[in-house]
Amino acid sequence: MSRAAIVTGASSGIGRAVALELAQAGWRLGLVGRDEGRLAQVAQECGGDVQIGAIDMRDTASFAAFVAQFGAVDLFISNHGILDGRRDGEVVESGVVAQNVVAINLQSVIGAIHAVLPGMQARGKGQIALVSSLAGLSPLPDAPAYSASKAGLVMYGLSLREALRGSGVGVSVCCPGYVATPMGGEHLGNRPHEISAQDAARRIIKNALANKRLFGFPAPLWPMALFSLLIPEGLLRLFNGGLRFTVKKR
């Protein structure tokens, strides 16, 4: 029997690239996103055994129903999320923007995990991969809620990993830097060391299947992000000075 994976945020960007990589390796797939048309296109590109669910991930009940219908999950890659923050002319993001980012990027992910986790625990096996961001380690003044939501994923994932130790269920947390995706196009500013979605997908899959605790990329930015909370504030400002940005108005 082929291995089975559910990927959220699968209609474009990293999620689409992850789906294509897993399909090529023969996985049975459940692809979730908000745009049914784009999901159907990705499913067609994948071929094989693919089920799709056009779901707003804030609707935890609908996602739980999709998981129940899909069946046993060997790998869950939680990749959905949005980028939002300060718009041109603003000093700081609005409260509405901040609350929406946290609801989608953190709260809905926690809900999704607990839709998948009971089945994994019952079988005594499974792997959960949370796609966070380098912004979860290095604070972004132009997108505080985005940084907070991604930092929350890091801490939730690492805490959950320890809680599940010895259960057969693993948890990995991935912190990508700049990746060339449609969501990345919302970011109006410098994007150093940007990599392709395919490159990011391969790294995520490889490290998740190896049950790597915490990993990030690309190499020039990953160690800087890890040390960002330890270095003096003035030095951090110097490093990040060329990375200020705004978010495209919707």
Side-chain angles (χ1 to χ4, degrees):
M1 182 179 293
S2 62
R3 296 174 293 178
I6 289 179
V7 183
T8 64
S11 59
S12 66
I14 293 175
R16 172 183 173 274
V18 166
L20 292 173
E21 289 292 323
L22 291 175
Q24 189 173 27
W27 288 69
R28 183 170 72 89
L29 296 175
L31 306 182
V32 179
R34 289 178 295 177
D35 190 312
E36 186 171 11
R38 289 193 299 176
L39 276 177
Q41 177 61 40
V42 175
Q44 185 176 26
E45 292 177 274
C46 288
D49 189 353
V50 183
Q51 298 178 46
I52 64 172
I55 299 169
D56 183 326
M57 291 302 295
R58 290 170 293 186
D59 184 355
T60 303
S62 291
F63 180 69
F66 178 84
V67 172
Q69 184 270 335
F70 181 79
V73 181
D74 299 297
L75 174 65
F76 173 49
I77 297 185
S78 177
N79 170 71
H80 67 278
I82 62 170
L83 170 66
D84 211 338
R86 180 175 70 93
R87 313 291 173 81
D88 187 32
E90 295 179 336
V91 175
V92 67
E93 66 193 8
S94 72
V96 171
V97 163
Q99 291 177 54
N100 192 45
V101 167
V102 172
I104 295 172
N105 290 7
L106 180 58
Q107 292 174 341
S108 77
V109 173
I110 293 173
I113 290 169
H114 286 277
V116 172
L117 182 57
M120 290 183 172
Q121 288 179 290
R123 293 188 303 277
K125 64 177 182 178
Q127 186 69 28
I128 296 170
L130 305 181
V131 179
S132 178
S133 168
L134 293 184
L137 302 170
S138 183
L140 299 179
D142 298 310
Y146 183 80
S147 279
S149 66
K150 294 302 187 178
L153 283 185
V154 172
M155 290 299 106
Y156 193 85
L158 297 184
S159 298
L160 187 64
R161 177 186 174 92
E162 186 61 20
L164 293 170
R165 183 167 58 90
S167 71
V169 180
V171 180
S172 298
V173 180
C174 169
C175 295
Y178 299 108
V179 180
T181 66
M183 190 176 82
E186 303 291 314
H187 177 285
L188 305 179
N190 191 25
R191 298 173 60 81
H193 307 291
E194 187 172 63
I195 66 171
S196 70
Q198 183 181 50
D199 189 359
R202 287 172 176 168
R203 297 184 196 211
I204 290 167
I205 293 168
K206 176 183 176 181
N207 284 282
L209 293 180
N211 193 29
K212 187 76 175 289
R213 176 176 178 263
L214 176 68
F215 59 98
F217 49 82
L221 299 180
W222 169 235
M224 289 175 59
L226 287 173
F227 285 107
S228 66
L229 295 179
L230 302 178
I231 64 176
E233 188 174 26
L235 189 56
L236 179 61
R237 287 197 191 107
L238 181 63
F239 284 151
N240 289 343
L243 301 178
R244 297 299 302 268
F245 66 96
T246 57
V247 176
K248 185 184 296 184
K249 292 183 179 180
R250 293 176 175 81

